[in-house]
Amino acid sequence: MIIRDFQPNDLDQVMKIWLEGNLNAHPFVDRKYWINNFEMVRDALQQSEIIVIEDKSQIIGFVGMQNTYLAGIFVKNKFRRHGVGSKLLNAIKRKYDSFTLEVYA
């Protein structure tokens, strides 16, 4: 697995992971919400710091930072529970002395 900075040509893969991740993780939210906000998030991601993780040249997850706020960690479903999210979190911890985040209770 390789962790690297986001490149503009990664955007479609990252957005697919974002949409699938939110649809899977938030069944209590109407799916139209995520679909209706897709373009807004697409624009916001391009203004954020994104770090991706890839396996065999395929992006399998990413983490997004807005200044010192960790906006989200997203991992493709079939790669969850394999330490991918932890690797992304550790990459952020190495890069930032401190940051904030919010989680659902």
Side-chain angles (χ1 to χ4, degrees), residues 38-104:
F38 186 89
E39 290 303 322
M40 180 203 59
V41 171
R42 185 179 180 91
D43 292 340
L45 280 177
Q46 295 176 79
Q47 306 303 316
S48 302
E49 178 182 2
I50 307 294
I51 296 174
V52 301
I53 186 167
E54 52 181 31
D55 184 52
K56 300 174 185 167
S57 300
Q58 173 190 28
I59 296 175
I60 60 171
F62 72 95
V63 59
M65 295 291 295
Q66 295 174 327
N67 298 314
T68 59
Y69 175 68
L70 193 158
I73 296 178
F74 294 85
V75 177
K76 276 189 171 184
N77 196 28
K78 77 178 202 173
F79 292 95
R80 291 181 189 154
R81 295 174 197 68
H82 292 92
V84 175
S86 293
K87 288 178 195 250
L88 288 166
L89 182 59
N90 287 333
I92 293 300
K93 288 165 60 175
R94 284 190 297 273
K95 194 165 189 171
Y96 289 85
D97 291 331
S98 65
F99 58 90
T100 61
L101 61 103
E102 295 178 11
V103 296
Y104 288 107

